[in-house]
Amino acid sequence: MAVLPSCLLSSAALPPRLLPSITEIQESCFALVYNAYGLRLDQFHVDNLTLVSCWVPASRGDKPAASGAANPAANLAANPAAVPAKPPLLLLHGFGASSLNHWINQLPAFSRHFDLYIPDLLFFRGSFSRSSRRDERFQAEAMMALMDQLRVERMATLCPARVTKLVLGGAGLMLTKGEVQGVLRQWHADTPTDLFLPAEPRGLLRLIRLGNNEAPYLPDWLLQDALEVLFENRAEKAGLLEESLKAAEANAEDPGSIAVPHMGTLLVWGGSDQLFPLAIAHRMQQHFGSSCRLEVIEKGAHAIQVHQAARFNSAVLSFLSKAGSD
Protein backbone atom coordinates (compact mmCIF):
# COMPACT_ATOMS: atom_id res chain seq x y z
CA MET A 1 0.00 0.00 0.00
CA ALA A 2 1.43 3.36 -0.96
CA VAL A 3 2.09 6.02 1.67
CA LEU A 4 -0.49 8.79 1.69
CA PRO A 5 0.43 12.47 1.97
CA SER A 6 0.38 13.86 5.49
CA CYS A 7 -2.48 16.20 4.58
CA LEU A 8 -4.74 13.16 4.20
CA LEU A 9 -3.73 11.85 7.59
CA SER A 10 -4.61 15.09 9.38
CA SER A 11 -8.28 14.09 9.46
CA ALA A 12 -7.50 10.91 11.41
CA ALA A 13 -9.79 11.90 14.25
CA LEU A 14 -12.87 12.03 12.03
CA PRO A 15 -15.22 9.03 12.14
CA PRO A 16 -14.60 6.84 9.09
CA ARG A 17 -18.25 6.84 8.03
CA LEU A 18 -18.10 10.59 7.46
CA LEU A 19 -15.22 10.21 5.01
CA PRO A 20 -15.10 8.94 1.43
CA SER A 21 -12.92 5.91 0.81
CA ILE A 22 -9.37 7.25 0.73
CA THR A 23 -8.20 3.97 -0.77
CA GLU A 24 -10.65 4.27 -3.66
CA ILE A 25 -9.61 7.90 -4.20
CA GLN A 26 -5.98 6.80 -4.28
CA GLU A 27 -6.74 4.05 -6.79
CA SER A 28 -8.63 6.53 -8.97
CA CYS A 29 -5.57 8.77 -8.96
CA PHE A 30 -3.36 5.82 -9.84
CA ALA A 31 -5.70 4.97 -12.73
CA LEU A 32 -5.23 8.49 -14.09
CA VAL A 33 -1.48 7.94 -13.98
CA TYR A 34 -1.88 4.70 -15.95
CA ASN A 35 -3.99 6.61 -18.48
CA ALA A 36 -1.31 9.30 -18.72
CA TYR A 37 1.23 6.64 -19.68
CA GLY A 38 -0.92 5.42 -22.55
CA LEU A 39 -2.82 2.57 -20.91
CA ARG A 40 -6.51 1.79 -20.72
CA LEU A 41 -8.32 -0.72 -18.52
CA ASP A 42 -10.32 -3.42 -20.32
CA GLN A 43 -11.98 -6.64 -19.24
CA PHE A 44 -11.76 -9.83 -21.28
CA HIS A 45 -13.76 -13.05 -21.07
CA VAL A 46 -11.00 -15.62 -21.54
CA ASP A 47 -13.48 -18.50 -21.19
CA ASN A 48 -17.09 -19.04 -20.16
CA LEU A 49 -16.24 -18.81 -16.45
CA THR A 50 -13.38 -16.35 -16.27
CA LEU A 51 -13.11 -12.59 -16.66
CA VAL A 52 -9.68 -10.91 -16.62
CA SER A 53 -9.14 -7.20 -16.07
CA CYS A 54 -6.05 -5.88 -17.84
CA TRP A 55 -4.34 -2.57 -18.57
CA VAL A 56 -3.46 -2.58 -22.27
CA PRO A 57 -1.93 0.01 -24.62
CA ALA A 58 -4.57 2.60 -25.44
CA SER A 59 -3.18 2.73 -28.97
CA ARG A 60 -4.54 -0.74 -29.71
CA GLY A 61 -7.43 -0.74 -32.14
CA ASP A 62 -9.24 -3.66 -30.52
CA LYS A 63 -12.00 -3.42 -27.95
CA PRO A 64 -12.73 -5.78 -25.04
CA ALA A 65 -15.20 -8.63 -25.33
CA ALA A 66 -17.61 -7.19 -22.78
CA SER A 67 -20.25 -9.88 -23.21
CA GLY A 68 -17.91 -12.74 -23.97
CA ALA A 69 -19.52 -13.13 -27.41
CA ALA A 70 -17.02 -11.07 -29.39
CA ASN A 71 -13.32 -11.63 -29.86
CA PRO A 72 -11.27 -8.42 -29.61
CA ALA A 73 -8.60 -9.98 -31.79
CA ALA A 74 -10.94 -9.84 -34.78
CA ASN A 75 -10.40 -6.11 -35.14
CA LEU A 76 -6.65 -6.64 -35.22
CA ALA A 77 -6.93 -9.05 -38.10
CA ALA A 78 -8.80 -6.42 -40.07
CA ASN A 79 -6.48 -3.63 -38.93
CA PRO A 80 -2.92 -4.93 -38.43
CA ALA A 81 -1.63 -1.39 -38.07
CA ALA A 82 -3.45 -1.23 -34.71
CA VAL A 83 -0.92 -3.65 -33.20
CA PRO A 84 1.52 -1.64 -31.02
CA ALA A 85 5.04 -1.29 -32.43
CA LYS A 86 7.11 -1.57 -29.24
CA PRO A 87 8.03 -4.96 -27.78
CA PRO A 88 5.37 -6.29 -25.39
CA LEU A 89 6.07 -6.66 -21.68
CA LEU A 90 3.71 -8.59 -19.42
CA LEU A 91 3.78 -7.49 -15.76
CA LEU A 92 2.22 -9.84 -13.20
CA HIS A 93 1.71 -8.58 -9.66
CA GLY A 94 2.22 -10.51 -6.45
CA PHE A 95 -0.28 -11.88 -3.96
CA GLY A 96 -0.71 -8.84 -1.77
CA ALA A 97 -1.59 -6.07 -4.22
CA SER A 98 -3.51 -5.29 -7.36
CA SER A 99 -1.87 -4.22 -10.61
CA LEU A 100 -2.54 -0.55 -9.85
CA ASN A 101 -0.60 -0.54 -6.60
CA HIS A 102 2.11 -2.95 -7.62
CA TRP A 103 3.48 -1.43 -10.83
CA ILE A 104 2.82 2.30 -10.63
CA ASN A 105 6.49 3.08 -9.94
CA GLN A 106 7.54 1.19 -13.07
CA LEU A 107 5.32 3.02 -15.58
CA PRO A 108 7.65 5.98 -16.39
CA ALA A 109 10.68 3.77 -17.05
CA PHE A 110 9.07 0.75 -18.69
CA SER A 111 6.52 2.51 -20.90
CA ARG A 112 9.29 4.28 -22.84
CA HIS A 113 10.61 0.97 -24.14
CA PHE A 114 7.70 -1.47 -24.09
CA ASP A 115 4.00 -1.84 -24.74
CA LEU A 116 2.79 -2.81 -21.30
CA TYR A 117 0.19 -5.45 -20.51
CA ILE A 118 -0.70 -5.34 -16.81
CA PRO A 119 -3.49 -7.72 -15.75
CA ASP A 120 -5.03 -8.31 -12.35
CA LEU A 121 -4.59 -11.91 -11.32
CA LEU A 122 -7.79 -13.84 -10.74
CA PHE A 123 -9.74 -12.74 -7.65
CA PHE A 124 -7.90 -9.42 -7.50
CA ARG A 125 -9.91 -6.31 -8.29
CA GLY A 126 -11.67 -6.74 -11.65
CA SER A 127 -10.56 -10.32 -12.40
CA PHE A 128 -12.76 -13.21 -11.31
CA SER A 129 -13.66 -16.77 -12.17
CA ARG A 130 -16.55 -19.04 -11.27
CA SER A 131 -14.21 -22.01 -11.57
CA SER A 132 -13.38 -23.91 -8.38
CA ARG A 133 -9.69 -24.14 -9.30
CA ARG A 134 -7.19 -22.15 -7.20
CA ASP A 135 -3.85 -23.56 -8.35
CA GLU A 136 -1.11 -21.48 -9.93
CA ARG A 137 -1.44 -23.30 -13.24
CA PHE A 138 -5.02 -22.07 -13.48
CA GLN A 139 -3.77 -18.48 -13.08
CA ALA A 140 -1.15 -19.10 -15.75
CA GLU A 141 -3.72 -20.56 -18.13
CA ALA A 142 -5.92 -17.50 -17.69
CA MET A 143 -2.99 -15.18 -18.47
CA MET A 144 -2.07 -17.27 -21.51
CA ALA A 145 -5.65 -17.13 -22.77
CA LEU A 146 -5.63 -13.36 -22.28
CA MET A 147 -2.44 -12.97 -24.31
CA ASP A 148 -3.84 -15.24 -27.02
CA GLN A 149 -6.99 -13.15 -27.19
CA LEU A 150 -4.89 -10.00 -27.48
CA ARG A 151 -2.72 -11.67 -30.14
CA VAL A 152 0.48 -11.01 -28.22
CA GLU A 153 2.59 -13.70 -29.82
CA ARG A 154 5.82 -13.46 -27.88
CA MET A 155 4.66 -14.17 -24.36
CA ALA A 156 2.58 -16.78 -22.59
CA THR A 157 3.26 -18.38 -19.24
CA LEU A 158 2.58 -21.95 -20.40
CA CYS A 159 4.26 -21.62 -23.80
CA PRO A 160 7.99 -21.11 -23.14
CA ALA A 161 8.79 -20.80 -26.85
CA ARG A 162 6.85 -17.52 -26.86
CA VAL A 163 8.73 -16.03 -23.89
CA THR A 164 11.98 -14.28 -24.79
CA LYS A 165 13.12 -13.28 -21.29
CA LEU A 166 11.85 -13.83 -17.76
CA VAL A 167 12.22 -11.62 -14.68
CA LEU A 168 11.18 -12.82 -11.22
CA GLY A 169 11.14 -10.31 -8.38
CA GLY A 170 11.14 -11.78 -4.89
CA ALA A 171 9.23 -14.86 -6.00
CA GLY A 172 9.18 -17.62 -3.38
CA LEU A 173 8.94 -20.54 -5.79
CA MET A 174 11.08 -22.79 -3.56
CA LEU A 175 9.92 -21.91 -0.06
CA THR A 176 10.40 -24.61 2.57
CA LYS A 177 7.85 -25.40 5.26
CA GLY A 178 10.44 -24.43 7.86
CA GLU A 179 10.87 -21.01 6.27
CA VAL A 180 7.11 -20.47 6.28
CA GLN A 181 6.93 -21.37 9.96
CA GLY A 182 9.89 -19.11 10.68
CA VAL A 183 8.15 -16.12 9.13
CA LEU A 184 4.98 -16.86 11.09
CA ARG A 185 6.91 -17.04 14.37
CA GLN A 186 8.86 -13.88 13.66
CA TRP A 187 5.70 -11.90 12.90
CA HIS A 188 3.54 -13.51 15.60
CA ALA A 189 0.97 -14.96 13.20
CA ASP A 190 -0.84 -18.23 13.78
CA THR A 191 -1.41 -19.17 10.13
CA PRO A 192 -0.41 -17.91 6.66
CA THR A 193 -3.96 -16.64 6.22
CA ASP A 194 -3.64 -14.53 9.38
CA LEU A 195 -0.47 -12.97 7.99
CA PHE A 196 -1.31 -12.48 4.32
CA LEU A 197 -5.06 -11.90 4.55
CA PRO A 198 -5.43 -9.73 7.65
CA ALA A 199 -8.92 -9.07 8.91
CA GLU A 200 -8.16 -6.14 11.20
CA PRO A 201 -6.06 -2.95 10.99
CA ARG A 202 -3.21 -4.15 13.19
CA GLY A 203 -2.74 -7.17 10.96
CA LEU A 204 -2.58 -5.00 7.84
CA LEU A 205 0.03 -2.75 9.46
CA ARG A 206 2.07 -5.87 10.23
CA LEU A 207 1.84 -6.95 6.60
CA ILE A 208 2.98 -3.51 5.40
CA ARG A 209 5.99 -3.72 7.72
CA LEU A 210 6.79 -7.21 6.47
CA GLY A 211 6.83 -6.06 2.85
CA ASN A 212 8.75 -2.84 3.42
CA ASN A 213 10.74 -3.52 6.63
CA GLU A 214 9.04 -0.44 8.08
CA ALA A 215 5.72 1.37 8.05
CA PRO A 216 4.64 4.98 8.62
CA TYR A 217 1.99 5.92 11.11
CA LEU A 218 -1.39 4.99 9.66
CA PRO A 219 -4.62 5.46 11.64
CA ASP A 220 -6.86 2.46 12.17
CA TRP A 221 -9.72 3.93 10.13
CA LEU A 222 -7.45 4.28 7.11
CA LEU A 223 -6.17 0.74 7.48
CA GLN A 224 -9.74 -0.50 7.82
CA ASP A 225 -10.69 1.37 4.67
CA ALA A 226 -7.84 -0.34 2.80
CA LEU A 227 -8.92 -3.74 4.12
CA GLU A 228 -12.46 -3.24 2.85
CA VAL A 229 -11.36 -2.10 -0.61
CA LEU A 230 -8.27 -4.20 -1.36
CA PHE A 231 -9.01 -7.50 0.39
CA GLU A 232 -12.09 -8.56 -1.51
CA ASN A 233 -12.77 -12.21 -2.45
CA ARG A 234 -11.20 -13.37 0.79
CA ALA A 235 -12.32 -17.01 0.50
CA GLU A 236 -10.96 -17.31 -3.03
CA LYS A 237 -7.67 -15.67 -2.05
CA ALA A 238 -7.34 -18.01 0.92
CA GLY A 239 -7.57 -20.89 -1.54
CA LEU A 240 -4.93 -19.30 -3.76
CA LEU A 241 -2.61 -18.84 -0.79
CA GLU A 242 -3.01 -22.43 0.33
CA GLU A 243 -2.30 -23.81 -3.15
CA SER A 244 0.68 -21.48 -3.69
CA LEU A 245 2.34 -22.47 -0.42
CA LYS A 246 1.77 -26.16 -1.14
CA ALA A 247 3.40 -25.75 -4.55
CA ALA A 248 6.36 -23.78 -3.14
CA GLU A 249 7.00 -26.35 -0.42
CA ALA A 250 6.76 -29.21 -2.94
CA ASN A 251 9.21 -27.40 -5.21
CA ALA A 252 11.68 -26.98 -2.34
CA GLU A 253 11.48 -30.69 -1.52
CA ASP A 254 11.74 -31.73 -5.17
CA PRO A 255 13.40 -29.00 -7.29
CA GLY A 256 13.03 -31.22 -10.33
CA SER A 257 9.32 -30.44 -10.30
CA ILE A 258 10.13 -26.90 -11.52
CA ALA A 259 10.90 -26.68 -15.22
CA VAL A 260 14.20 -24.94 -15.92
CA PRO A 261 13.50 -21.84 -18.05
CA HIS A 262 15.07 -22.11 -21.49
CA MET A 263 15.26 -18.34 -21.83
CA GLY A 264 17.49 -15.86 -20.03
CA THR A 265 16.17 -15.34 -16.51
CA LEU A 266 16.79 -12.57 -14.00
CA LEU A 267 16.05 -12.87 -10.29
CA VAL A 268 15.77 -9.49 -8.57
CA TRP A 269 15.86 -9.75 -4.78
CA GLY A 270 15.95 -7.48 -1.79
CA GLY A 271 19.02 -8.15 0.31
CA SER A 272 16.96 -7.56 3.46
CA ASP A 273 13.81 -9.38 2.35
CA GLN A 274 12.16 -10.61 5.56
CA LEU A 275 9.45 -12.58 3.76
CA PHE A 276 11.48 -14.60 1.25
CA PRO A 277 15.09 -14.80 2.51
CA LEU A 278 17.95 -14.47 0.06
CA ALA A 279 18.67 -18.18 0.48
CA ILE A 280 15.57 -18.87 -1.65
CA ALA A 281 17.01 -16.79 -4.49
CA HIS A 282 20.31 -18.71 -4.37
CA ARG A 283 18.36 -21.98 -4.34
CA MET A 284 16.41 -20.93 -7.43
CA GLN A 285 19.51 -19.66 -9.23
CA GLN A 286 21.31 -22.95 -8.65
CA HIS A 287 18.35 -24.90 -10.02
CA PHE A 288 17.85 -22.65 -13.06
CA GLY A 289 21.49 -22.92 -14.04
CA SER A 290 23.79 -20.76 -16.14
CA SER A 291 21.01 -18.90 -17.96
CA CYS A 292 19.85 -17.37 -14.66
CA ARG A 293 21.37 -14.23 -13.12
CA LEU A 294 20.71 -12.94 -9.60
CA GLU A 295 20.59 -9.19 -8.89
CA VAL A 296 20.59 -8.40 -5.17
CA ILE A 297 19.48 -4.92 -4.15
CA GLU A 298 21.26 -4.20 -0.90
CA LYS A 299 19.05 -3.15 2.00
CA GLY A 300 16.04 -3.88 -0.20
CA ALA A 301 12.92 -5.26 1.46
CA HIS A 302 10.41 -7.61 -0.16
CA ALA A 303 8.54 -4.86 -2.06
CA ILE A 304 11.63 -3.71 -3.92
CA GLN A 305 9.65 -2.45 -6.90
CA VAL A 306 8.07 0.11 -4.53
CA HIS A 307 10.72 1.40 -2.15
CA GLN A 308 13.74 0.68 -4.38
CA ALA A 309 11.98 1.47 -7.65
CA ALA A 310 14.88 3.23 -9.39
CA ARG A 311 17.33 0.38 -8.75
CA PHE A 312 14.73 -2.26 -9.58
CA ASN A 313 13.84 -0.53 -12.85
CA SER A 314 17.48 -0.11 -13.80
CA ALA A 315 18.26 -3.78 -13.18
CA VAL A 316 15.26 -4.99 -15.17
CA LEU A 317 15.77 -2.64 -18.11
CA SER A 318 19.47 -3.47 -18.30
CA PHE A 319 18.66 -7.17 -18.45
CA LEU A 320 15.86 -6.81 -21.00
CA SER A 321 17.92 -4.57 -23.27
CA LYS A 322 20.70 -7.13 -23.71
CA ALA A 323 20.57 -9.41 -26.73
CA GLY A 324 20.58 -13.15 -26.29
CA SER A 325 19.89 -15.09 -23.11
CA ASP A 326 22.45 -13.48 -20.80
Side-chain angles (χ1 to χ4, degrees), residues 2 22-23 26 39 47 107-108 110 149 186 202 283 299 324:
I22 299 298
T23 306
Q26 177 181 262
L39 298 171
D47 60 37
L107 296 183
F110 290 1
Q149 192 171 131
Q186 179 183 353
R202 189 171 300 177
R283 201 178 300 149
K299 299 182 180 179

Side-chain angles (χ1 to χ4, degrees), residues 35 58 67 80 88 163 180 198 233 300 302 317:
N35 293 152
S67 66
V163 181
V180 173
N233 302 324
H302 180 67
L317 288 175

